[in-house]
Amino acid sequence: MIRFFFLRFRRIPILYSLTDVEKEMKQKIKGLLKEKNVVMLAHNYQPPEIQDLADLCGDSLELSIRASETDADVILFCGVHFMAETASILSPDKTVLLPRQDAGCPMADMITAEALSKKLETLPSMPVVTYVNSTAEVKALSTICCTSANAVKVVNSIEGDQVLMTPDRNLAGYVARNTSKKIHLWEGYCPFHDILTPADVEEARAVHPDAVFMVHPECRPEVVELADVVTSTSGMLRYAKESDKTAFIVGTEIGILYPLKKANPEKAFYPASTKMECIEMKKITLEDVARSLEFMEGRVKVPEHIRVPAMKAVQKMIDCS
Ligand code: 13P
Ligand code: SF4
C-alpha cells in the first residue's frame, strides 16, 4: 500500500511503500500488541510508519489521558521519555514501555528538581506552572501543569498576581503577552522550535503568499508575532480540518506534516523551515517497537513518592481545563 513518508534526506511527506521486511515486522508487531493487550500510542511528530501502526495518535497529554481510560495492560509510548513518564503517572497499574530509552527531550532536561528548588529559595511561595514537557520530578515540585493548548487558562486560574513558568521561556513569554499576571520565566527552550526565525517565515510566505501561517508557542516571540494562528499540535490538526483555507505554512516540528496531510489530502502543507526536525522524536523504529514488545523492554515507572505529587499537579490542570 502507498502512503506518505519522509525521505531521510528531505523529510517532506512524499509517497512511500514498505519493504517486505518492514511489512513482516508490522505483522509481528500487530500480533504482539493483541497477544499482550497493549495500547500503542504515537505522538504527532513520530515517523509515519509508527503513526500508521499506532492505536492512538495525538499530543502527549491527550494520549496519556486516553490510554489511562483503556483496559489495556500495557501502554507502548512512541514519543520521548517525559511522555512515557506522564503515562506512568496517570496509569500506575499499567506497564509503560518506551521502545528507545535514549529518546529524551532537550527542553525537559534544561531544568532539574534541584535547580527548581534552588530557584524557589529566591521566590518563596511562588506558584509554579510547569509545561507537561518536563520530568516527573519537576512536575512533582510544581503547583500545576499546563500544555501549550491551555497555558493561558491555567495561569489565569492561579490565585495571586505572579507565577513562575517552567521550563519553556517561549511558552512563558507567549502567556505573559496574554495575561495580566507577572510571569517569571525559566530559561529553557526547545532547540527545534527556537531555531525558526522571522526570515524563514518571510521566505516561506514569499513562496506561498496565500497560505495561513500556523505556529507552535514553543517558537520565539518574534516568530509567533507573525502568525495567523498560534496553537498546539492537536490545535493545528483541528484548525486545518475545520478551516476553509487550502494552504498552510506550518511552524512546528516537521513530523506533524504527515498527520496533517493524511487527514486533509486535498490541502497543501508547507514546513516553515525544514530545520525544525526533532532528532529525539525520530529515534524509534519498527524494529525497536517489535523488540520492546517481545521482551517487554524499555519500562518506565515513576516511583510513588514522585508520582503522587506529580499527579496532583497534572490533575489540577485537567480539572482547570
Ligand atoms: P504538543 O503536541 O503538546 O503541542 O507538544 C509539542 C511538543 O514539542 C512535544 O514534544
Ligand atoms: Fe522536546 Fe522539542 Fe523534541 Fe518536543 S520537539 S520532544 S519539546 S526537543
Side-chain angles (χ1 to χ4, degrees):
M1 195 196 299
I2 295 180
R3 290 195 181 77
F4 289 94
F5 189 53
F6 293 89
L7 270 185
R8 294 285 171 218
F9 60 89
R10 261 186 71 215
R11 294 204 172 271
I12 309 293
I14 58 156
L15 296 176
Y16 90 109
S17 57
L18 289 177
T19 64
D20 286 345
V21 176
E22 285 169 329
K23 279 182 199 156
E24 241 174 70
M25 189 77 73
K26 213 173 148 172
Q27 282 317 112
K28 181 176 171 181
I29 292 169
K30 280 186 177 167
L32 287 165
L33 289 170
K34 208 165 166 194
E35 182 196 321
K36 302 196 177 187
N37 191 23
V38 182
V39 61
M40 178 173 168
L41 314 179
H43 187 269
N44 292 323
Y45 297 158
Q46 284 290 294
E49 66 276 24
I50 301 289
Q51 293 197 38
D52 280 345
L53 204 49
D55 298 298
L56 303 169
C57 295
D59 68 35
S60 62
L61 186 73
E62 78 179 332
L63 286 175
S64 290
I65 293 173
R66 285 167 72 191
S68 71
E69 291 163 357
T70 70
D71 60 4
D73 296 316
V74 181
I75 296 173
L76 181 110
F77 211 127
C78 295
V80 293
H81 198 267
F82 77 80
M83 297 182 179
E85 277 191 339
T86 307
S88 170
I89 290 168
L90 279 141
S91 300
D93 298 331
K94 297 191 198 296
T95 299
V96 178
L97 301 176
L98 177 68
R100 282 283 295 259
Q101 286 278 297
D102 61 340
C105 169
M107 176 165 68
D109 294 340
M110 287 179 193
I111 183 170
T112 61
E114 294 69 33
L116 176 56
S117 300
K118 209 160 168 212
K119 176 84 179 171
L120 287 172
E121 285 171 16
T122 66
L123 297 168
S125 349
M126 181 65 67
V128 181
V129 177
T130 290
Y131 191 20
V132 285
N133 295 26
S134 56
T135 62
E137 281 191 329
V138 169
K139 287 185 177 79
L141 285 182
S142 305
T143 315
I144 188 167
C145 286
C146 74
T147 69
S148 50
N150 62 21
V152 175
K153 194 169 180 184
V154 165
V155 166
N156 285 338
S157 78
I158 299 269
E159 269 178 38
D161 55 3
Q162 299 189 36
V163 303
L164 169 64
M165 280 196 78
T166 76
D168 186 4
R169 67 175 180 215
N170 289 337
L171 181 64
Y174 172 71
V175 172
R177 295 191 296 282
N178 289 281
T179 181
S180 57
K181 292 192 198 290
K182 179 173 168 52
I183 308 291
H184 299 265
L185 48 85
W186 192 271
E187 282 293 339
Y189 61 92
C190 164
F192 310 104
H193 283 84
D194 199 66
I195 201 168
L196 185 66
T197 63
D200 295 323
V201 177
E202 276 152 28
E203 203 178 303
R205 273 201 155 139
V207 184
H208 311 289
D210 298 326
V212 175
F213 175 41
M214 305 191 289
V215 85
H216 198 284
E218 285 178 23
C219 290
R220 292 186 204 175
E222 59 270 31
V223 167
V224 171
E225 203 175 285
L226 301 174
D228 300 304
V229 182
V230 185
T231 187
S232 63
T233 58
S234 313
M236 287 185 191
L237 283 159
R238 254 191 317 274
Y239 183 84
K241 188 92 202 152
E242 288 162 11
S243 170
D244 55 5
K245 301 282 193 253
T246 55
F248 303 84
I249 296 167
V250 185
T252 191
E253 206 279 335
I254 56 176
I256 190 82
L257 293 168
Y258 180 70
L260 279 168
K261 188 70 188 166
K262 191 174 169 184
N264 306 279
E266 73 295 353
K267 298 186 180 181
F269 299 94
Y270 309 105
S273 165
T274 52
K275 292 178 290 187
M276 300 180 80
E277 183 186 21
C278 175
I279 45 175
E280 300 297 318
M281 278 286 184
K282 304 297 183 271
K283 281 185 172 166
I284 296 172
T285 63
L286 291 176
E287 220 175 323
D288 295 324
V289 172
R291 194 185 50 249
S292 177
L293 284 171
E294 192 167 1
F295 303 108
M296 299 300 272
E297 222 179 79
R299 290 178 192 235
V300 174
K301 175 93 184 140
V302 176
E304 272 306 280
H305 71 282
I306 296 170
R307 192 193 74 80
V308 173
M311 181 65 206
K312 217 169 139 188
V314 172
Q315 190 61 52
K316 260 193 190 165
M317 169 191 65
I318 294 170
D319 294 344
C320 148
S321 50

